[in-house]
Each structure stands twice: as C-alpha cells, then as structure tokens.
Amino acid sequence: MQFLCLKVWLAPVPNIRSMMKSCSFFFRSLLLFLLTISDLFVQIHGLGLGINYGQIANNLPSPSRVAVLINSLNVSRIKLYDADPNVLLAFSKSNVEFVIGLGNEYLQNMTNPAKAQTWIQQHVQPYISQTKITCITVGNEVFNSNDTQLILNLLPAMETVHGALVNLGLDQQVTITTAHSFNILSNSYPPSSGAFREDLLQYIQPLLDFHAQINSPFLINAYPFFAYKDNPDEVSLNYVLFQPNPGLVDPNTNLQYDNMLYAQIDAVYAAIKATGHTDIEVRISETGWPSKGDPEEVGATPQNAALYNGNLLKRIEEKQCTPAKPSVPVDIYVFALFNEDLKPGPASERNYGLYYPDGNPVYNIGLQGYLPQMPMASKSNSLSVNFLVCIITCLMLAWELTRW
C-alpha cells in the first residue's frame, strides 16, 4: 500500500487524474462491497434478544462499558431489578428497551398514590425521553414469600403505580406487571392440565383480571434446570436442553413437545385459561442454566449451560412458538448477563452469567458470533476494526481525488 502511494505521488500530475479515473469504478465497487458486508454483519448478528442485567456483585464493569457490550451484541431488550439511574443514563439515545423494577421492599409504600407518583416522577420521568422504558415490574416472586401482608399489597401496589402513570400521561408508553416463580402452579403436566395452586387462586384471579384490563403480560421465571436437578433419573437431559429427543405428547391435545420450557409456558397458559382468561400473554421473565454449582446441583456445568442457552437463542432468533400457541412467538429474557459474586444461596446462583465481569464469555455458545466479546477486549479485534476504518477512509479519499 505504501509503495503504491509513493508511485502515485511521484507520477506527473496528468497521470494522477488518469489513474484515479481509471480506478474510480474499482474504488466505488469495493467501497460499496465493504459497506454491504458491514450492513449484512449487523443483520446477521441482530437478535430480538432480552437479557436480565443483575448487579448483585462488587466487580462488574461500569454501566457505560456494559452499554458498549450490549450494543456489540445487538441485544434489544434489558430487564433490570431496580431503576438504577446510572444504567438508564448510560443507555440514553440507544435502541434498547428497558423493563425496570420496583423491589418487594417498596410494595407497601406503592399502595399510597402520592408515593407512587413521586417514585415515577423520580425514576421514570427524568429518563424516558432518552431511554426507552417500556415496563415496570412491581415486586418479584411475591407469592414465594410467606409474608401475607406483602402478598396482599401486590395488586394494590400495581394498581396504584398504574394510576400514577395514567395521571402523568405515561400509561401508553409504560405498562405494569410483576414476575412470578413457576412454582405458583400446582400442576404442569401435561401442559393442558396446568393449574395454579389452590391457596393462591384468591390472589391470582383478581391479578389476572387487572392484567386483562390494562393489557399487560403475565411474567413467569421458569428454569428447567431445577426440574432436572431434582430428578435427574426421571427427567431427560436432552429434553431440558433443547437437544434431539423423542419428546412428550400431551394426551389431552395430542400436541408434541420437544423441550420442557415450551411445555411450561403452555402449562401457564392452561392455568390462566382455567380462570376464564384467554386474553393474557405469557412471557418468560427469567430462564437460564448455571455453569457451576455445588456438588449436589446435578447438571450445573459449562457444557450444559452452553447447550441450553445456545439452543434457546437459536429458537428465539427463529421466532418459534409453543405448540398450544402457534401464532405467538415466545418472548424470553435470558438470565443473566454477568456472573454475580455476591448473590446468596447455592453456588449456582452466582454462576448464571453469559459473561464474566471482565467481559469474557463464560463459555462458547457456538452461535457464529452472536455474542462476541466486548469491543477493545481483544487486541486483534481492535486492530481489525481500525484496519477496516482505515481502508474505508482511504477509499473515500481516493474517490474524492477522482473529482479533480
């Protein structure tokens, strides 16, 4: 390249113009080719992917660095467990849609209209013009608690926060929901026999009525890992990992299921239908697989985590639907972006991340680069990007010279 440039600049001026004109078509074609590749690269890597961004750790990268990582992955949706202003500011003017969270500790206060409106004014209004906040989860897995007062506060808090959104003219932009543990079901097999626990029906029925009224989704945290861990001799590992397997047939509907997660989703739909509702969409607010666990946590390995998340992301990309809802693509938030070293509980709780805090992937999920490492994390990646920029810049300069 340097030798070519030297020859050009030593040549007589009339030859420069002649040479550049003769190369004009080549330069334009090559530039168009490179830009086409760039566009294709973005399209290939784009996924309608949702991911949970938890922050129970003391070694995570700054939100601004995370924004670069998310942008490089073309992740389009993020679910937070709070309304961290640093995160919301870091994603200002991005195309990422946010679900933000109101923790269980806020529920009692959120039953007060004035406090609910103040929370919205402090945690939503300052950011929503620049950051796409589309949903607020009021509480998380509340029915898993033994706190009756917390359970009683859930629906009033959801209604009051929704009322605050209405008062502030934000209810068309932001919806209200809450996330549930899968064990609010008393039965999940066969999927068509899915049913809510009897002791929870008195709370779930009015909650579903509210969802239908405001047209908001019903969120479930579903982890086939737990089913396999508890019964590894009875539950097929291939079935829970989306690997080839004979599958299971629902005897009531004759629908065939080749993986447990889809069966779980349809079981929730069946439970909702049993309450009289067919107008509520079920979404998976959390699912994932740990790459490490305690000795008794059977199946918690990097290999299984890679298979589960890798196969799941392929299905998300294909916009697959469940057997009982063939026209409704599954809507899923993968758990989680990073390993979180301060989470309590068994070792698996700290090892659900797709990435280590340094931005390196925990395992290779083999999706042709759908989840590359953070930009600048690799010197070779950085050099490749700089080289491409240099080529395009030189070609644009050469193109301009043809206009002499």
Side-chain angles (χ1 to χ4, degrees), residues 357-383:
D358 63 4
N360 288 313
V362 176
Y363 41 78
N364 180 2
I365 60 175
L367 288 183
Q368 297 144 3
Y370 282 129
L371 293 172
Q373 293 188 31
M374 284 181 62
M376 306 306 292
S378 166
K379 184 177 180 181
S380 61
N381 287 345
S382 176
L383 289 174

Side-chain angles (χ1 to χ4, degrees), residues 145-191:
S145 74
N146 294 320
D147 188 335
T148 303
Q149 190 57 52
L150 184 65
I151 292 173
L152 290 171
N153 283 334
L154 176 60
L155 180 55
M158 292 172 66
E159 291 172 331
T160 304
V161 174
H162 175 72
L165 290 171
V166 172
N167 291 340
L168 296 170
L170 298 174
D171 57 302
Q172 297 302 308
Q173 294 173 258
V174 185
T175 191
I176 295 295
T177 187
T178 187
H180 305 281
S181 165
F182 186 72
N183 61 23
I184 63 172
L185 269 64
S186 60
N187 184 59
S188 61
Y189 185 81

Side-chain angles (χ1 to χ4, degrees), residues 3-264:
F3 178 68
L4 176 62
C5 289
L6 181 62
K7 288 185 65 178
V8 169
W9 288 112
L10 289 177
V13 172
N15 289 342
I16 294 178
R17 186 169 183 177
S18 175
M19 177 184 296
M20 296 310 295
K21 280 188 174 181
S22 66
C23 294
S24 176
F25 178 77
F26 169 76
F27 284 130
R28 277 183 252 187
S29 299
L30 183 56
L31 179 58
L32 181 61
F33 173 71
L34 288 171
L35 293 176
T36 301
I37 287 179
S38 176
D39 289 342
L40 182 61
F41 183 84
V42 171
Q43 291 170 9
I44 287 175
H45 285 65
L47 283 174
L49 173 61
I51 195 162
N52 284 272
Y53 176 13
Q55 299 182 77
I56 306 178
N58 59 9
N59 57 357
L60 296 182
S62 66
S64 60
R65 291 181 62 205
V66 174
V68 174
L69 173 61
I70 292 297
N71 182 63
S72 73
L73 300 177
N74 286 315
V75 169
S76 59
R77 299 176 300 156
I78 288 178
K79 178 170 165 284
L80 298 178
Y81 292 87
D82 54 19
D84 187 340
N86 296 316
V87 174
L88 297 177
L89 285 172
F91 282 85
S92 177
K93 297 183 181 179
S94 74
N95 290 319
V96 178
E97 295 183 359
F98 273 86
V99 175
I100 62 175
L102 263 165
N104 294 350
E105 67 274 17
Y106 290 96
L107 292 194
Q108 184 173 353
N109 280 343
M110 289 303 103
T111 62
N112 182 310
K115 292 181 178 179
Q117 183 152 321
T118 297
W119 192 91
I120 297 295
Q121 289 171 327
Q122 292 177 348
H123 297 89
V124 177
Q125 274 192 320
Y127 311 102
I128 197 168
S129 64
Q130 300 291 327
T131 304
K132 296 181 179 179
I133 301 171
T134 61
C135 182
I136 300 172
T137 54
V138 179
N140 185 59
E141 298 190 348
V142 170
F143 294 137
N144 254 15
S145 74
N146 294 320
D147 188 335
T148 303
Q149 190 57 52
L150 184 65
I151 292 173
L152 290 171
N153 283 334
L154 176 60
L155 180 55
M158 292 172 66
E159 291 172 331
T160 304
V161 174
H162 175 72
L165 290 171
V166 172
N167 291 340
L168 296 170
L170 298 174
D171 57 302
Q172 297 302 308
Q173 294 173 258
V174 185
T175 191
I176 295 295
T177 187
T178 187
H180 305 281
S181 165
F182 186 72
N183 61 23
I184 63 172
L185 269 64
S186 60
N187 184 59
S188 61
Y189 185 81
S192 59
S193 297
F196 292 118
R197 284 165 36 191
E198 288 289 335
D199 62 312
L200 295 178
L201 270 176
Q202 60 180 314
Y203 308 113
I204 292 178
Q205 182 70 62
L207 187 68
L208 291 170
D209 295 341
F210 177 66
H211 278 295
Q213 175 190 336
I214 67 169
N215 191 31
S216 71
F218 191 83
L219 304 187
I220 284 283
N221 300 336
Y223 289 88
F225 165 71
F226 295 144
Y228 177 75
K229 174 181 71 71
D230 294 340
N231 297 285
D233 296 329
E234 299 179 17
V235 176
S236 165
L237 184 60
N238 285 338
Y239 181 64
V240 295
L241 293 179
F242 304 94
Q243 292 289 88
N245 68 93
L248 300 172
V249 175
D250 187 321
N252 300 323
T253 61
N254 288 325
L255 295 175
Q256 178 151 352
Y257 291 83
D258 67 356
N259 71 86
M260 180 177 285
L261 182 65
Y262 285 16
Q264 290 178 329

